[in-house]
Amino acid sequence: MTHPDSTRMTHDIELGPGSEFDLIRKLRHHWGPLAVSIGDDASILNVPRGERLVVSTDSALEDVHFRREWLTLREIGYRAVTAAISDIAAMAASPAGVLVALQLPGDLTDIEGTLLELADGIADAVRAAGTVVVGGNLARGGSAPLGITTTAVGSVFNPLTRAGARPGDLLYVTGALGGPAAALKSLTAGLQPNAKLRERFSRPAARVAEARWLAAHGAVAGIDLSDGMASDAGHLAAAGGVGLEIAIERLPVFAGATPDDAVSGGEEYELLVASRTALDEGEFKARFGIELTAIGRAVEGSSGATFTRAGKRVAAPPGYDHFSR
Amino acid sequence: MTHPDSTRMTHDIELGPGSEFDLIRKLRHHWGPLAVSIGDDASILNVPRGERLVVSTDSALEDVHFRREWLTLREIGYRAVTAAISDIAAMAASPAGVLVALQLPGDLTDIEGTLLELADGIADAVRAAGTVVVGGNLARGGSAPLGITTTAVGSVFNPLTRAGARPGDLLYVTGALGGPAAALKSLTAGLQPNAKLRERFSRPAARVAEARWLAAHGAVAGIDLSDGMASDAGHLAAAGGVGLEIAIERLPVFAGATPDDAVSGGEEYELLVASRTALDEGEFKARFGIELTAIGRAVEGSSGATFTRAGKRVAAPPGYDHFSR
């Protein structure tokens, strides 16, 4: 242990000799034009003049965030990077690049094959979000499970924050909810979810362009639903110092999922936004091919998120509390 | 596994309920003014007008990059964050913030105590570098070893890159080398290194201000010595398409270390730079309290880094190859 079993990914410049750099060279070649401006101790990026920098980091860990038997390596790479991009998308930022820190098990035999499959998924994710890989790190050893920590970097002129909601704002949600939760229920029970649910779980989309449209058309606060509607609506309410009233029967439910999945399921990258003005759902659907649905409003008081069914308040499933299990 | 055992660190805004957020609240309180602008799906930062963004990510993993019996948790947190800051410092960037993704073992009992000790070290590192924590992630579970993946974000007007060296440039190194390698030799042999060597290993400094001074005074290429002089001089040579000739007897050796430690030891955050003009070693020492030493020059050809002793070329210890052990 006189030296780390780890190396930063370098790119675009000549690399020194050694098998670790061979792996990086292979990743570089594999990614082609999807990996740019990597090539030094650090990577250099330009932020458009007048825009602010937006950064977020997110980890996906084997047997904590995913199971190898449920997803291919390519899907694992895709989901990990998409989750991080979703965090900056939720602020209406345009991604400028991602850095991917890969952690490989010490007893992994097919290092190159594993890396290239993960790399395919990472490529899928940055391609889908219109961005590139700008850096990373490779570490291997010990009892480490497979892990991907992604930092997404982007920029925005007018960020959509969690704290922007005010009483009277209208609440909207993109897409349809509960699909990932329904897929996970099947997988946990040892069953295969149907193809659409499986796809929904394995290939979520970060709503990059959608968030920018929403921010440009009146949205003043936003959050992605990675913790699920019940939990994330609570975050939006707490951050804004407002109450949120959401009609459960208005929540768009993904085909094959239940309303409960839609309320409490997480791993969802749809957006919940508060808008000062009414948004044009038809234009949104025409432009992005997914629904935009009005689901409630922000009210006075610090009452958190409350859910109604047929006008009556119902107890929402509690938000998931990761550290209390 | 219907939801991740993981959460992003949020800050500066009201958080929702739950024990995971209690931990983040405690970290926030613990860090005080050293944690800023965290508070949403992502964090928002300003890049000074005209400057370019510099980002780098680096992982420190238990039993790969550190051993618990060798370092306190506070030192582990410090070193991990300092290593990442060193990567952007080597490009002469000013740090704007770090994001820290913490990975905790699933069987850890004292989660809060562990987090707060790591947090103290992270605070030491950002304080030493004149920066702050701007985001992070908390994940726990399974067989995961303790891990810290740090992304350092900064900005620079004129970056110092690996590729800038040209034939005729003078080579300089900051500080004294080999201390961390000597400390590791003792630790690996089950011995305690002396206090100065231990301190050198456990509390390295990222040369943030030094790199900016060097870039302002004629340095045109730079790299930190995290892989050791032999390996990193090779990277600088390869990136610039030049040869580097380094006189081993000129290398400044840390007290208690050997010249071999100075040539081949890594985990070193001193800087190797190529400068177009002669640099004022006296002014450097007066300003920063450490040596700046001229150790050789860049020459024509792609001969990599070559080392001489008394004018004769010697075989340098090979750079460490992480993936071929």
Side-chain angles (χ1 to χ4, degrees):
Chain A
M1 214 216 79
T2 55
H3 295 258
D5 227 354
S6 168
T7 187
R8 290 182 306 280
M9 292 180 193
T10 53
H11 196 76
D12 276 343
I13 54 165
E14 286 305 305
L15 298 166
S19 69
E20 58 164 306
F21 296 109
D22 289 342
L23 284 172
I24 307 265
R25 271 191 201 92
K26 276 170 187 158
L27 278 176
R28 173 207 294 200
H29 180 76
H30 200 71
W31 277 327
L34 287 176
V36 298
S37 104
I38 310 176
D40 228 293
D41 291 287
S43 307
I44 300 179
L45 297 171
N46 291 314
V47 171
R49 177 179 293 197
E51 296 206 356
R52 306 182 72 191
L53 177 65
V54 180
V55 289
S56 185
T57 199
D58 196 46
S59 295
L61 212 56
E62 184 177 352
D63 292 335
V64 178
H65 304 99
F66 61 83
R67 290 200 187 149
R68 293 285 297 274
E69 60 268 34
W70 293 351
L71 293 165
T72 66
L73 285 166
R74 184 169 185 157
E75 289 166 343
I76 289 165
Y78 176 88
R79 288 182 88 243
V81 171
T82 297
I85 292 173
S86 179
D87 290 327
I88 65 164
M91 302 191 79
S94 295
V98 299
L99 300 101
V100 281
L102 302 174
Q103 168 179 293
L104 302 179
D107 59 3
L108 184 70
T109 48
D110 183 14
I111 297 177
E112 185 181 329
T114 302
L115 274 180
L116 294 186
E117 270 195 70
L118 287 171
D120 280 334
I122 293 165
D124 294 340
V126 297
R127 199 184 290 112
T131 189
V132 290
V133 180
V134 296
N137 191 82
L138 214 50
R140 185 174 70 102
S143 65
L146 183 62
I148 307 177
T149 295
T150 308
T151 303
V153 179
S155 66
V156 64
F157 185 70
N158 268 327
L160 203 55
T161 70
R162 291 188 180 188
R166 295 293 169 264
D169 287 348
L170 299 169
L171 303 178
Y172 292 88
V173 69
T174 63
L177 308 180
L184 272 168
K185 272 195 297 195
S186 293
L187 291 167
T188 308
L191 305 169
Q192 263 303 325
N194 72 45
K196 283 198 174 164
L197 284 175
R198 194 186 181 291
E199 164 90 9
R200 180 69 176 167
F201 174 65
S202 63
R203 289 277 171 161
R207 301 302 187 194
V208 176
E210 292 85 346
R212 292 171 64 80
W213 185 95
L214 292 166
H217 286 80
V220 289
I223 191 168
D224 76 5
L225 298 176
S226 50
D227 290 339
M229 174 62 82
S231 182
D232 285 315
H235 297 152
L236 206 66
V242 296
L244 297 188
E245 289 184 354
I246 294 170
I248 285 183
E249 63 267 38
R250 304 215 59 177
L251 288 181
V253 180
F254 196 86
T258 66
D260 261 10
D261 295 332
V263 177
S264 61
E267 313 250 341
E268 190 89 85
Y269 300 106
E270 300 300 345
L271 302 173
L272 169 64
V273 298
S275 180
R276 200 116 315 156
T277 57
L279 298 171
D280 187 336
E281 294 100 331
E283 187 188 336
F284 184 90
K285 177 152 194 194
R287 187 176 286 254
F288 301 111
I290 58 170
E291 302 289 339
L292 179 68
T293 309
I295 59 167
R297 63 199 179 96
V299 297
E300 291 280 356
S302 302
S303 48
T306 55
F307 291 81
T308 61
R309 187 174 273 128
K312 290 208 171 105
R313 189 167 292 194
V314 295
Y320 187 78
D321 189 352
H322 311 154
F323 277 82
S324 65
R325 278 196 302 189
Chain B
M1 212 213 78
T2 54
H3 295 259
D5 229 354
S6 168
T7 187
R8 291 182 305 280
M9 291 179 195
T10 53
H11 195 75
D12 276 344
I13 53 164
E14 285 306 304
L15 298 166
S19 70
E20 58 164 307
F21 296 109
D22 287 342
L23 285 171
I24 308 266
R25 273 191 200 94
K26 277 170 185 155
L27 279 176
R28 172 207 293 199
H29 180 76
H30 202 71
W31 277 327
L34 287 175
V36 297
S37 104
I38 310 174
D40 230 291
D41 291 286
S43 307
I44 301 178
L45 297 170
N46 291 314
V47 171
R49 176 179 292 197
E51 295 206 357
R52 306 182 73 192
L53 178 65
V54 180
V55 288
S56 185
T57 198
D58 196 46
S59 295
L61 211 55
E62 183 176 352
D63 292 335
V64 178
H65 305 99
F66 61 82
R67 291 201 186 148
R68 291 287 298 274
E69 60 268 34
W70 293 350
L71 292 166
T72 65
L73 286 167
R74 184 169 186 157
E75 288 165 345
I76 288 164
Y78 176 88
R79 287 182 89 245
V81 170
T82 297
I85 292 174
S86 179
D87 290 327
I88 66 164
M91 304 192 77
S94 296
V98 300
L99 299 102
V100 281
L102 303 174
Q103 169 179 292
L104 302 180
D107 59 2
L108 183 69
T109 48
D110 183 14
I111 298 175
E112 184 181 331
T114 302
L115 276 179
L116 293 186
E117 268 195 71
L118 288 170
D120 280 333
I122 293 165
D124 293 341
V126 296
R127 199 184 290 114
T131 190
V132 289
V133 180
V134 296
N137 191 81
L138 214 50
R140 184 173 72 102
S143 66
L146 184 62
I148 307 179
T149 295
T150 307
T151 303
V153 179
S155 67
V156 65
F157 184 71
N158 269 326
L160 204 56
T161 70
R162 289 186 181 190
R166 295 293 168 264
D169 287 347
L170 299 168
L171 304 178
Y172 292 88
V173 69
T174 63
L177 308 180
L184 272 168
K185 272 195 295 195
S186 292
L187 290 168
T188 308
L191 305 168
Q192 262 304 324
N194 73 43
K196 281 198 175 164
L197 285 176
R198 193 185 182 289
E199 163 91 9
R200 180 70 175 164
F201 173 64
S202 62
R203 290 276 171 159
R207 300 302 187 194
V208 176
E210 291 86 346
R212 291 171 65 81
W213 186 95
L214 292 166
H217 287 80
V220 289
I223 191 168
D224 77 7
L225 298 176
S226 49
D227 291 340
M229 174 61 83
S231 182
D232 285 314
H235 297 153
L236 205 67
V242 297
L244 297 189
E245 291 185 353
I246 294 170
I248 285 184
E249 63 268 41
R250 302 215 60 179
L251 288 182
V253 181
F254 195 87
T258 67
D260 262 10
D261 294 332
V263 177
S264 61
E267 314 248 342
E268 191 88 85
Y269 301 104
E270 300 300 344
L271 302 172
L272 168 65
V273 298
S275 180
R276 201 114 314 156
T277 57
L279 298 172
D280 186 336
E281 294 99 331
E283 188 189 336
F284 185 91
K285 177 152 193 193
R287 186 176 287 253
F288 301 111
I290 58 171
E291 302 288 338
L292 180 69
T293 310
I295 58 168
R297 63 199 179 96
V299 297
E300 290 280 354
S302 302
S303 47
T306 55
F307 291 81
T308 61
R309 186 175 274 126
K312 291 211 169 99
R313 190 169 291 195
V314 295
Y320 187 77
D321 189 351
H322 313 156
F323 278 82
S324 65
R325 278 197 302 190

